[in-house]
Short mmCIF file of all heavy atoms in Angstrom, two decimals:
data_model
loop_
_atom_site.label_atom_id
_atom_site.label_comp_id
_atom_site.label_asym_id
_atom_site.label_seq_id
_atom_site.Cartn_x
_atom_site.Cartn_y
_atom_site.Cartn_z
N ASP A 237 0.83 -1.20 0.00
CA ASP A 237 0.00 0.00 0.00
C ASP A 237 0.87 1.26 0.00
O ASP A 237 0.54 2.28 0.61
CB ASP A 237 -0.95 0.01 1.21
CG ASP A 237 -2.05 1.06 1.06
OD1 ASP A 237 -2.41 1.39 -0.09
OD2 ASP A 237 -2.53 1.57 2.09
N CYS A 238 2.00 1.19 -0.68
CA CYS A 238 2.93 2.32 -0.76
C CYS A 238 2.39 3.35 -1.75
O CYS A 238 2.09 3.02 -2.90
CB CYS A 238 4.31 1.83 -1.20
SG CYS A 238 5.53 3.15 -1.40
N SER A 239 2.26 4.59 -1.30
CA SER A 239 1.67 5.61 -2.17
C SER A 239 2.54 6.85 -2.34
O SER A 239 2.08 7.86 -2.85
CB SER A 239 0.30 6.02 -1.62
OG SER A 239 0.37 6.33 -0.25
N LEU A 240 3.80 6.76 -1.94
CA LEU A 240 4.72 7.89 -2.12
C LEU A 240 6.11 7.38 -2.43
O LEU A 240 6.64 6.52 -1.72
CB LEU A 240 4.76 8.75 -0.84
CG LEU A 240 5.78 9.89 -0.79
CD1 LEU A 240 5.52 10.93 -1.88
CD2 LEU A 240 5.81 10.55 0.59
N GLN A 241 6.70 7.91 -3.52
CA GLN A 241 8.10 7.65 -3.81
C GLN A 241 8.86 8.97 -3.66
O GLN A 241 8.42 10.01 -4.16
CB GLN A 241 8.32 7.10 -5.22
CG GLN A 241 9.80 6.83 -5.49
CD GLN A 241 10.10 6.34 -6.91
OE1 GLN A 241 11.25 6.15 -7.27
NE2 GLN A 241 9.07 6.14 -7.70
N MET A 242 9.99 8.92 -2.98
CA MET A 242 10.82 10.09 -2.80
C MET A 242 12.20 9.85 -3.42
O MET A 242 12.62 8.72 -3.60
CB MET A 242 10.95 10.42 -1.31
CG MET A 242 9.62 10.64 -0.62
SD MET A 242 9.73 11.13 1.11
CE MET A 242 10.35 9.62 1.87
N GLY A 243 12.89 10.93 -3.73
CA GLY A 243 14.22 10.80 -4.31
C GLY A 243 14.80 12.16 -4.66
O GLY A 243 14.19 13.20 -4.40
N GLY A 244 15.99 12.13 -5.24
CA GLY A 244 16.63 13.36 -5.67
C GLY A 244 15.98 13.93 -6.92
O GLY A 244 15.22 13.24 -7.61
N SER A 245 16.27 15.18 -7.22
CA SER A 245 15.63 15.85 -8.36
C SER A 245 15.94 15.16 -9.68
O SER A 245 15.17 15.25 -10.63
CB SER A 245 16.06 17.32 -8.42
OG SER A 245 17.47 17.43 -8.52
N ASP A 246 17.08 14.44 -9.76
CA ASP A 246 17.42 13.73 -11.00
C ASP A 246 16.50 12.54 -11.24
O ASP A 246 16.49 11.98 -12.34
CB ASP A 246 18.88 13.27 -10.98
CG ASP A 246 19.18 12.32 -9.82
OD1 ASP A 246 18.47 12.37 -8.80
OD2 ASP A 246 20.13 11.53 -9.94
N GLN A 247 15.70 12.16 -10.23
CA GLN A 247 14.79 11.02 -10.37
C GLN A 247 13.36 11.45 -10.72
O GLN A 247 12.47 10.60 -10.80
CB GLN A 247 14.76 10.22 -9.06
CG GLN A 247 16.09 9.58 -8.71
CD GLN A 247 16.52 8.56 -9.74
OE1 GLN A 247 15.73 7.73 -10.18
NE2 GLN A 247 17.78 8.62 -10.15
N TRP A 248 13.13 12.73 -10.93
CA TRP A 248 11.78 13.23 -11.15
C TRP A 248 11.07 12.50 -12.29
O TRP A 248 9.92 12.05 -12.15
CB TRP A 248 11.81 14.73 -11.41
CG TRP A 248 10.47 15.34 -11.69
CD1 TRP A 248 10.01 15.83 -12.87
CD2 TRP A 248 9.39 15.52 -10.75
NE1 TRP A 248 8.73 16.32 -12.74
CE2 TRP A 248 8.33 16.13 -11.45
CE3 TRP A 248 9.23 15.23 -9.40
CZ2 TRP A 248 7.12 16.46 -10.82
CZ3 TRP A 248 8.03 15.56 -8.78
CH2 TRP A 248 7.00 16.16 -9.50
N GLY A 249 11.72 12.38 -13.42
CA GLY A 249 11.09 11.71 -14.56
C GLY A 249 10.72 10.27 -14.27
O GLY A 249 9.62 9.81 -14.61
N ASN A 250 11.62 9.55 -13.61
CA ASN A 250 11.35 8.15 -13.26
C ASN A 250 10.19 8.04 -12.27
O ASN A 250 9.36 7.13 -12.36
CB ASN A 250 12.60 7.51 -12.65
CG ASN A 250 13.76 7.40 -13.64
OD1 ASN A 250 13.56 7.45 -14.85
ND2 ASN A 250 14.95 7.25 -13.12
N ILE A 251 10.14 8.97 -11.32
CA ILE A 251 9.06 8.95 -10.32
C ILE A 251 7.72 9.25 -10.97
O ILE A 251 6.71 8.57 -10.71
CB ILE A 251 9.36 9.96 -9.19
CG1 ILE A 251 10.56 9.46 -8.36
CG2 ILE A 251 8.14 10.16 -8.29
CD1 ILE A 251 11.06 10.45 -7.33
N VAL A 252 7.68 10.25 -11.84
CA VAL A 252 6.43 10.61 -12.54
C VAL A 252 5.94 9.44 -13.38
O VAL A 252 4.73 9.17 -13.46
CB VAL A 252 6.64 11.86 -13.40
CG1 VAL A 252 5.45 12.08 -14.33
CG2 VAL A 252 6.83 13.09 -12.51
N ASN A 253 6.86 8.71 -14.01
CA ASN A 253 6.46 7.53 -14.78
C ASN A 253 5.73 6.52 -13.89
O ASN A 253 4.74 5.90 -14.31
CB ASN A 253 7.71 6.86 -15.38
CG ASN A 253 8.17 7.54 -16.65
OD1 ASN A 253 7.37 8.16 -17.35
ND2 ASN A 253 9.45 7.43 -16.94
N GLY A 254 6.22 6.32 -12.66
CA GLY A 254 5.57 5.40 -11.74
C GLY A 254 4.20 5.87 -11.32
O GLY A 254 3.25 5.08 -11.21
N VAL A 255 4.08 7.17 -11.07
CA VAL A 255 2.78 7.75 -10.70
C VAL A 255 1.76 7.52 -11.82
O VAL A 255 0.61 7.12 -11.57
CB VAL A 255 2.94 9.26 -10.41
CG1 VAL A 255 1.57 9.93 -10.27
CG2 VAL A 255 3.77 9.48 -9.16
N GLU A 256 2.19 7.75 -13.05
CA GLU A 256 1.27 7.61 -14.19
C GLU A 256 0.96 6.15 -14.48
O GLU A 256 -0.17 5.82 -14.87
CB GLU A 256 1.88 8.29 -15.41
CG GLU A 256 1.99 9.81 -15.25
CD GLU A 256 2.49 10.50 -16.50
OE1 GLU A 256 2.90 9.79 -17.45
OE2 GLU A 256 2.49 11.74 -16.52
N LEU A 257 1.93 5.26 -14.27
CA LEU A 257 1.69 3.85 -14.52
C LEU A 257 0.63 3.31 -13.55
O LEU A 257 -0.27 2.56 -13.96
CB LEU A 257 2.99 3.05 -14.38
CG LEU A 257 2.90 1.57 -14.76
CD1 LEU A 257 2.60 1.40 -16.24
CD2 LEU A 257 4.21 0.85 -14.41
N ALA A 258 0.71 3.69 -12.28
CA ALA A 258 -0.28 3.24 -11.30
C ALA A 258 -1.67 3.77 -11.64
O ALA A 258 -2.68 3.08 -11.46
CB ALA A 258 0.13 3.68 -9.90
N ARG A 259 -1.72 5.00 -12.14
CA ARG A 259 -3.02 5.57 -12.52
C ARG A 259 -3.62 4.82 -13.70
O ARG A 259 -4.82 4.54 -13.72
CB ARG A 259 -2.84 7.05 -12.87
CG ARG A 259 -4.11 7.74 -13.34
CD ARG A 259 -3.87 9.20 -13.65
NE ARG A 259 -2.85 9.41 -14.66
CZ ARG A 259 -3.07 9.30 -15.98
NH1 ARG A 259 -4.27 8.96 -16.43
NH2 ARG A 259 -2.09 9.52 -16.83
N ARG A 260 -2.79 4.47 -14.67
CA ARG A 260 -3.30 3.81 -15.87
C ARG A 260 -3.64 2.33 -15.64
O ARG A 260 -4.64 1.84 -16.15
CB ARG A 260 -2.27 3.92 -16.99
CG ARG A 260 -2.10 5.34 -17.52
CD ARG A 260 -0.93 5.44 -18.47
NE ARG A 260 -0.78 6.78 -19.01
CZ ARG A 260 0.27 7.20 -19.69
NH1 ARG A 260 1.29 6.37 -19.91
NH2 ARG A 260 0.33 8.43 -20.16
N ILE A 261 -2.81 1.64 -14.88
CA ILE A 261 -2.99 0.21 -14.68
C ILE A 261 -3.99 -0.09 -13.56
O ILE A 261 -4.91 -0.91 -13.72
CB ILE A 261 -1.65 -0.48 -14.36
CG1 ILE A 261 -0.65 -0.29 -15.50
CG2 ILE A 261 -1.85 -1.97 -14.05
CD1 ILE A 261 -0.97 -1.06 -16.75
N ASP A 262 -3.82 0.56 -12.41
CA ASP A 262 -4.64 0.25 -11.23
C ASP A 262 -5.63 1.35 -10.88
O ASP A 262 -6.33 1.25 -9.87
CB ASP A 262 -3.73 0.02 -10.01
CG ASP A 262 -2.97 -1.30 -10.09
OD1 ASP A 262 -3.27 -2.11 -11.01
OD2 ASP A 262 -2.06 -1.52 -9.26
N GLN A 263 -5.67 2.41 -11.70
CA GLN A 263 -6.56 3.55 -11.42
C GLN A 263 -6.36 4.06 -10.00
O GLN A 263 -7.30 4.36 -9.27
CB GLN A 263 -8.04 3.20 -11.65
CG GLN A 263 -8.39 2.91 -13.10
CD GLN A 263 -7.92 1.54 -13.55
OE1 GLN A 263 -8.19 0.54 -12.90
NE2 GLN A 263 -7.22 1.48 -14.67
N ARG A 264 -5.11 4.18 -9.61
CA ARG A 264 -4.77 4.58 -8.24
C ARG A 264 -3.96 5.88 -8.25
O ARG A 264 -3.10 6.06 -9.10
CB ARG A 264 -3.97 3.49 -7.55
CG ARG A 264 -3.61 3.85 -6.13
CD ARG A 264 -2.93 2.76 -5.37
NE ARG A 264 -2.62 3.21 -4.02
CZ ARG A 264 -1.95 2.51 -3.13
NH1 ARG A 264 -1.53 1.29 -3.44
NH2 ARG A 264 -1.72 2.99 -1.92
N SER A 265 -4.25 6.74 -7.30
CA SER A 265 -3.50 7.99 -7.15
C SER A 265 -2.35 7.78 -6.17
O SER A 265 -2.58 7.46 -5.00
CB SER A 265 -4.40 9.12 -6.64
OG SER A 265 -5.38 9.45 -7.59
N ILE A 266 -1.14 7.91 -6.67
CA ILE A 266 0.04 7.86 -5.81
C ILE A 266 0.87 9.11 -6.09
O ILE A 266 0.59 9.86 -7.03
CB ILE A 266 0.85 6.57 -6.01
CG1 ILE A 266 1.25 6.38 -7.47
CG2 ILE A 266 0.05 5.37 -5.53
CD1 ILE A 266 2.09 5.13 -7.71
N PHE A 267 1.92 9.34 -5.30
CA PHE A 267 2.56 10.64 -5.29
C PHE A 267 4.08 10.53 -5.40
O PHE A 267 4.67 9.49 -5.10
CB PHE A 267 2.20 11.39 -4.00
CG PHE A 267 0.72 11.51 -3.76
CD1 PHE A 267 0.03 10.51 -3.07
CD2 PHE A 267 0.01 12.60 -4.23
CE1 PHE A 267 -1.33 10.61 -2.85
CE2 PHE A 267 -1.35 12.71 -4.01
CZ PHE A 267 -2.02 11.71 -3.32
N GLY A 268 4.67 11.63 -5.80
CA GLY A 268 6.13 11.71 -5.87
C GLY A 268 6.62 13.01 -5.25
O GLY A 268 5.96 14.05 -5.33
N LEU A 269 7.80 12.93 -4.61
CA LEU A 269 8.41 14.10 -3.98
C LEU A 269 9.91 14.02 -4.20
O LEU A 269 10.53 12.97 -3.97
CB LEU A 269 8.09 14.11 -2.48
CG LEU A 269 8.50 15.32 -1.62
CD1 LEU A 269 7.64 15.37 -0.37
CD2 LEU A 269 9.98 15.23 -1.20
N THR A 270 10.50 15.12 -4.66
CA THR A 270 11.95 15.13 -4.87
C THR A 270 12.61 16.25 -4.06
O THR A 270 11.98 17.25 -3.71
CB THR A 270 12.33 15.31 -6.35
OG1 THR A 270 11.83 16.56 -6.83
CG2 THR A 270 11.77 14.17 -7.19
N THR A 271 13.89 16.05 -3.81
CA THR A 271 14.70 17.04 -3.11
C THR A 271 15.58 17.78 -4.11
O THR A 271 15.89 17.25 -5.19
CB THR A 271 15.61 16.36 -2.08
OG1 THR A 271 16.46 15.42 -2.76
CG2 THR A 271 14.80 15.62 -1.04
N PRO A 272 16.01 19.00 -3.77
CA PRO A 272 16.94 19.70 -4.66
C PRO A 272 18.28 18.97 -4.71
O PRO A 272 18.64 18.25 -3.78
CB PRO A 272 17.10 21.08 -4.00
CG PRO A 272 16.02 21.18 -2.98
CD PRO A 272 15.68 19.78 -2.57
N LEU A 273 19.01 19.19 -5.79
CA LEU A 273 20.38 18.71 -5.85
C LEU A 273 21.20 19.50 -4.84
O LEU A 273 21.21 20.73 -4.86
CB LEU A 273 20.95 18.91 -7.26
CG LEU A 273 22.43 18.56 -7.45
CD1 LEU A 273 22.65 17.06 -7.29
CD2 LEU A 273 22.92 19.02 -8.81
N VAL A 274 21.85 18.81 -3.93
CA VAL A 274 22.62 19.48 -2.88
C VAL A 274 24.06 19.65 -3.36
O VAL A 274 24.74 18.67 -3.66
CB VAL A 274 22.58 18.69 -1.56
CG1 VAL A 274 23.39 19.43 -0.48
CG2 VAL A 274 21.15 18.50 -1.10
N THR A 275 24.50 20.89 -3.41
CA THR A 275 25.88 21.19 -3.77
C THR A 275 26.52 22.02 -2.66
O THR A 275 25.83 22.62 -1.84
CB THR A 275 25.97 21.97 -5.09
OG1 THR A 275 25.22 23.19 -4.97
CG2 THR A 275 25.40 21.16 -6.25
N THR A 276 27.82 22.04 -2.64
CA THR A 276 28.54 22.88 -1.69
C THR A 276 28.60 24.30 -2.24
O THR A 276 28.23 24.57 -3.38
CB THR A 276 29.96 22.36 -1.46
OG1 THR A 276 30.69 22.45 -2.70
CG2 THR A 276 29.93 20.91 -0.99
#
């Protein structure tokens, strides 16, 4: 029953793909959250 994937900003496209796949296959709303790229 996992409904949130988190990751770095470079993973945004991959996360969005998962959100859309769940909506299309299982008609389920799930979410994605990314963090900024951390630099010094």
Side-chain angles (χ1 to χ4, degrees):
D237 194 28
C238 178
S239 50
L240 173 62
Q241 181 183 176
M242 303 184 290
S245 58
D246 60 335
Q247 296 297 314
W248 178 250
N250 295 341
I251 291 173
V252 169
N253 279 334
V255 170
E256 294 184 352
L257 186 65
R259 178 179 58 80
R260 291 171 178 169
I261 299 290
D262 288 351
Q263 293 76 51
R264 180 175 180 184
S265 294
I266 55 179
F267 305 88
L269 186 158
T270 61
T271 59
L273 175 67
V274 181
T275 58
T276 64

